[in-house]
């Protein structure tokens, strides 16, 4: 009852979740072009999730999963899985690979649970696995982004204000599973905190929360982020790297509060042309015009309101952002849905152009902005 009253007051006053203001790119999010200037390791159509096991990089590409030895980056990727549905998430541990299959469930390839397939948990379908985290050889934590939409329909879930995501702990040996959190706004990334808790990125609420491994109410770790947070990976010395699907802008915030507009938009306009975040942009004249400052003399300005964006941020052990790497409105390395750390660099999966981009973790100018 109190939450309902609070929302009504927020809606009346335009504050809280009903505010259309967004945080500016400042402080640890001060814009740069370091992500756009990164080295392109390889390209693959629909490249999405990355996972690292030793010197082997695994990556999903549509309905397939490939592996690539990072010590021989010029070699072609080796196919390790082919299915009939999109691969929605990926995690690796030793010789085991956990694969999220859109609308089908969780598949284990290799390791002591090779071939195990889990499609339902407590009668609920694993229809939208967006993140997987190995806690041990026998334990995984899985994020199911939405109970109403598949992973490939993520834009529908956003526009419908989806709050049906959940996080599960699964014992692969016994088959037991328990729900750690429910009613989440598209849990897109998972990482284990130093105290054993689980960091979860709630993409549609632009925040990171931490949940205990034995369940309980999520605690806010980082809120009001300037983008849509996606997957998380451990960095050096207890830090984390967080990738973002796209950046926020005020027009998205406004449109999402106009429910009749959203209903008609979903029914009458092609998904690629919705007023909603995108993985890539500037491909068609049918895309929404976002203001007369987008182009000047025919040139797209980096500070224009972005329809798609590339962003990775380094966070401390408590998930507070420290510094960030950007591919701005005039860039192309957008839709950064996944990131892994490799020695003194990170590799980010830019789903928009289908690229794996390698970027140094240290940069003199970047370190200066973090002081």
């Amino acid at each position: 009852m109190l939450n309902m009253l609070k929302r009504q007051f927020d809606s009346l006053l335009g504050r809280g979740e009903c505010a259309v203001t967004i945080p500016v790119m400042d402080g640890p999010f001060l814009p740069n072009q370091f992500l756009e200037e990164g080295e392109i390791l390889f390209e693959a159509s629909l490249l999405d999730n990355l996972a690292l096991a030793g010197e082997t990089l695994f990556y999903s590409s549509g309905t397939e999963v490939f592996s690539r030895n990072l010590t021989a980056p010029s070699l072609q990727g080796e196919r390790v899985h082919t299915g009939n549905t999109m691969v929605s998430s990926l995690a690796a541990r030793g010789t085991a690979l956990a694969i999220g299959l859109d609308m089908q469930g969780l598949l284990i390839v290799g390791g002591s649970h090779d071939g195990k397939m889990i499609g339902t948990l407590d009668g609920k379908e694993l229809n939208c696995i967006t993140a997987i985290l190995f806690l041990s050889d026998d334990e995984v934590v899985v994020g199911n982004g939405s109970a109403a939409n598949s992973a490939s329909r993520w834009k529908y879930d956003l526009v419908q204000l989806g709050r049906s995501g959940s996080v599960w702990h699964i014992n692969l040996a016994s088959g037991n599973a328990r729900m750690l959190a429910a009613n989440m706004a598209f849990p897109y990334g998972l990482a284990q905190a130093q105290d054993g808790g689980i960091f979860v990125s709630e993409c549609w609420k632009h925040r990171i929360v931490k949940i205990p491994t034995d369940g309980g109410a999520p605690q806010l770790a980082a809120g009001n982020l300037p983008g849509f947070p996606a997957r998380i990976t451990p960095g050096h010395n207890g830090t984390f790297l967080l990738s973002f699907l796209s950046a926020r802008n005020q027009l998205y915030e406004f449109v999402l509060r106009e429910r009749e507009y959203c209903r008609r938009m979903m029914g009458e306009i092609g998904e690629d042309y919705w007023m909603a975040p995108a993985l890539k942009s500037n491909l068609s004249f049918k895309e929404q015009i976002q203001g007369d400052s987008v182009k000047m003399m025919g040139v797209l300005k980096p500070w224009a309101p972005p329809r798609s964006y590339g962003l990775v941020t380094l966070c401390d052990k408590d998930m507070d952002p420290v510094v960030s790497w950007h591919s701005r409105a005039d860039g192309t390395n957008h839709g950064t849905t996944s990131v892994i750390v490799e020695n003194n660099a990170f590799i980010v999966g830019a789903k928009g152009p289908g690229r794996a981009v390698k970027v140094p973790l240290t940069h003199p100018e970047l370190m200066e902005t973090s002081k």
Side-chain angles (χ1 to χ4, degrees):
M1 177 61 77
L2 289 177
N3 286 337
M4 185 179 69
L5 290 174
K6 181 177 183 301
R7 174 145 185 98
Q8 289 179 344
F9 274 113
D10 287 346
S11 178
L12 178 65
L13 301 174
R15 67 185 187 187
E17 291 187 2
C18 297
V20 296
T21 56
I22 59 173
V24 297
M25 293 283 192
D26 203 353
F29 291 101
L30 194 66
N32 54 58
Q33 286 285 58
F34 300 141
L35 194 58
E36 184 64 18
E37 296 166 355
E39 174 192 1
I40 299 175
L41 284 183
F42 59 90
E43 295 184 328
S45 175
L46 300 176
L47 183 145
D48 180 18
N49 206 166
L50 307 178
L52 188 65
E55 295 179 337
T56 302
L57 170 70
F58 295 93
Y59 62 94
S60 62
S61 175
T63 62
E64 299 175 308
V65 177
F66 294 86
S67 68
R68 181 181 291 258
N69 190 328
L70 288 175
T71 60
S74 62
L75 296 178
Q76 292 294 316
E78 180 180 348
R79 186 179 292 104
V80 297
H81 167 80
T82 300
N84 57 6
T85 187
M86 295 286 286
V87 175
S88 58
S89 189
L90 206 59
R93 180 183 174 89
T95 59
L97 194 62
I99 303 174
L101 301 176
D102 204 15
M103 296 298 291
Q104 292 188 2
L106 177 69
L107 173 66
I108 305 297
V109 176
S112 55
H113 304 287
D114 182 36
K116 194 176 189 69
M117 180 75 190
I118 301 173
T120 59
L121 296 173
D122 281 350
K124 298 180 175 60
E125 292 184 359
L126 283 174
N127 60 308
C128 180
I129 298 179
T130 47
I132 308 170
L133 170 67
F134 271 104
L135 297 182
S136 69
D137 291 343
D138 296 328
E139 296 175 288
V140 294
V141 176
V142 170
N144 197 54
S146 169
N149 293 291
S150 64
S152 57
R153 284 171 58 92
W154 61 269
K155 202 175 289 187
Y156 283 84
D157 201 65
L158 169 63
V159 176
Q160 293 167 355
L161 304 181
R163 300 291 188 270
S164 60
S166 55
V167 177
W168 295 80
H169 176 279
I170 304 172
N171 188 311
L172 296 174
S174 66
N176 294 330
R178 53 192 170 88
M179 185 186 291
L180 300 180
N183 303 321
M184 304 199 78
F186 209 76
Y188 207 160
L190 301 168
Q192 189 166 30
Q194 288 186 346
D195 64 1
I198 307 297
F199 286 124
V200 183
S201 64
E202 265 194 291
C203 194
W204 307 156
K205 287 188 176 180
H206 324 110
R207 69 179 190 176
I208 308 297
V209 297
K210 187 166 74 171
I211 56 177
T213 52
D214 56 355
Q219 302 295 317
L220 181 66
N224 202 24
L225 296 168
F228 295 87
R231 297 187 174 101
I232 315 169
T233 193
H236 299 305
N237 302 318
T239 60
F240 297 93
L241 267 80
L242 170 65
S243 61
F244 287 78
L245 174 75
S246 185
R248 298 166 67 184
N249 77 40
Q250 290 172 316
L251 200 49
Y252 299 156
E253 306 288 327
F254 175 74
V255 165
L256 288 176
R257 283 152 181 77
E258 299 297 320
R259 302 314 304 157
E260 177 62 17
Y261 181 95
C262 289
R263 187 189 66 77
R264 292 191 60 184
M265 181 173 71
M266 287 188 289
E268 301 174 14
I269 303 175
E271 181 182 348
D272 290 341
Y273 309 119
W274 289 3
M275 180 52 68
L279 300 172
K280 53 187 175 182
S281 56
N282 305 315
L283 302 175
S284 169
F285 71 91
K286 295 180 180 178
E287 294 176 8
Q288 318 93 334
I289 298 174
Q290 298 183 16
D292 57 0
S293 63
V294 171
K295 288 187 177 180
M296 185 177 292
M297 303 296 286
V299 177
L300 182 67
K301 295 300 179 180
W303 35 260
R307 184 165 180 264
S308 61
Y309 202 84
L311 177 60
V312 174
T313 183
L314 174 70
C315 302
D316 66 13
K317 63 181 179 59
D318 298 317
M319 291 303 296
D320 290 325
V322 179
V323 293
S324 55
W325 296 259
H326 299 244
S327 175
R328 303 171 75 182
D330 61 336
T332 55
N333 292 334
H334 293 178
T336 43
T337 55
S338 182
V339 61
I340 60 167
V341 175
E342 189 227 359
N343 297 325
N344 293 319
F346 66 82
I347 301 172
V348 62
K351 191 174 182 179
R355 292 175 184 162
V357 181
K358 186 174 183 178
V359 182
L361 267 170
T362 56
H363 188 290
E365 187 177 339
L366 182 66
M367 294 301 108
E368 188 66 26
T369 64
S370 66
K371 293 180 179 177

